[in-house]
Amino acid sequence: MAGKVRHLLLRNGRFYARVSVPKALRSIVRKQELLEAIGAGRTEALRALPAAVARMQATIERARE
């Protein structure tokens, strides 16, 4: 049985990439978590997940600077 996929969230039949924003950066980013819709099908979402997480991590890195 497969385990839970990190950063993948299923909500209302759609898959989202989710990354939590560190507490120290929440005032800069103005969000507690970053969400990006990545598709309705699990296979499609798993393909799009790495790129979506990379974009969100880049946003967090820019906030650190």
Side-chain angles (χ1 to χ4, degrees), residues 8-28:
L8 185 65
L9 175 68
L10 175 61
R11 188 180 288 168
N12 297 325
R14 288 202 48 90
F15 286 93
Y16 296 86
R18 177 194 173 275
V19 174
S20 180
V21 176
K23 284 188 179 186
L25 300 176
R26 289 179 183 171
S27 62
I28 298 167

Side-chain angles (χ1 to χ4, degrees), residues 2-54:
K4 188 174 178 182
V5 178
R6 189 172 184 188
H7 302 297
L8 185 65
L9 175 68
L10 175 61
R11 188 180 288 168
N12 297 325
R14 288 202 48 90
F15 286 93
Y16 296 86
R18 177 194 173 275
V19 174
S20 180
V21 176
K23 284 188 179 186
L25 300 176
R26 289 179 183 171
S27 62
I28 298 167
V29 178
R30 297 181 187 249
K31 294 182 181 181
Q32 290 185 5
E33 65 182 13
L34 300 174
L35 284 176
E36 183 178 325
I38 54 174
R42 183 173 172 85
T43 304
E44 173 188 358
L46 288 173
R47 270 193 226 116
L49 183 63
V53 170

